[in-house]
Structure formats: C-alpha cells, structure tokens
Amino acid sequence: MIRYIKFALVFIKSLIRSNIEVAKIVLSKKIDIDPAIVKLHTNCTNEFDKLLVANAITLTPGTITMRLEDQNLYIHLLDLKNKDQLQKEIVDSFEDMIL
C-alpha cells in the first residue's frame, strides 16, 4: 500500500511539472514543438501495475499512452526532447515507486 502512496506523490510532482511545460508551449508566441510517438519499455509484470503506469502517463499533460503491448508502451508526446531522458523521467520514476 505504501508503494502506491509514493507513486501518487511522484505522479503529482510530474503532473505539476508537465502542466507548467504545456502552459509555456501554449502561451508562447512561436510554437516550437517536436511531436513524436515513442516506444518505451516497462519492467512491470503485474497487469495492474502496467495499467497504472500507462494511465498515469496519459493523465500527464502532453502525453498519451496509445498502446500497451506486453512490456512496451507506445506513447504520443507533444514535444520530444530526449528519448532516453523520457524513459528515465516518466516510466522509470513511476516504476520505482510501485516495483
């Protein structure tokens, strides 16, 4: 149970940061974005945990989980800066709390 509370705290932090980033994009005079679809790996084996990570990503502004297949997440991003950093910031940080 404690791991899900930790997950919620990490999710809220990510949610706030993403809201600020999306607001900056929307309010800027020049929209300079690089939308992309990326395939990221999850180490979750439990179906509930995989679904929790996928839904948390979808609820975060600027990202949508399009498909969950085995241990891969296909995510559409509003602005792709660095795929490796994305794996670390989104998937790994969420997983660290629930694994």
Side-chain angles (χ1 to χ4, degrees):
M1 182 65 179
I2 292 179
R3 65 185 178 153
Y4 293 114
I5 293 170
K6 289 180 182 178
F7 173 82
L9 295 173
V10 169
F11 172 68
I12 291 169
K13 179 182 173 185
S14 177
L15 185 65
I16 292 169
R17 187 175 58 234
S18 295
N19 271 299
I20 292 168
E21 288 179 28
V22 170
K24 286 178 185 177
I25 292 169
V26 171
L27 297 174
S28 69
K29 293 182 180 184
K30 181 182 177 192
I31 298 179
D32 185 26
I33 59 174
D34 183 20
I37 297 173
V38 295
K39 175 181 170 183
L40 300 176
H41 179 77
T42 178
N43 293 315
C44 295
T45 55
N46 178 314
E47 292 297 318
F48 178 77
D49 292 344
K50 286 193 282 188
L51 187 61
L52 185 63
V53 170
N55 283 331
I57 291 169
T58 297
L59 291 171
T60 305
T63 59
I64 296 175
T65 303
M66 299 172 49
R67 184 180 183 110
L68 175 59
E69 185 176 81
D70 298 322
Q71 287 185 280
N72 295 310
L73 301 164
Y74 295 87
I75 302 169
H76 180 272
L77 302 159
L78 181 63
D79 189 18
L80 177 64
K81 295 176 184 162
N82 183 331
K83 183 179 177 183
D84 296 330
Q85 182 180 4
L86 180 72
Q87 175 75 38
K88 181 182 173 192
E89 287 181 0
I90 295 179
V91 178
D92 295 347
S93 67
F94 289 155
E95 284 181 353
D96 286 346
M97 297 301 119
I98 58 176
L99 290 178

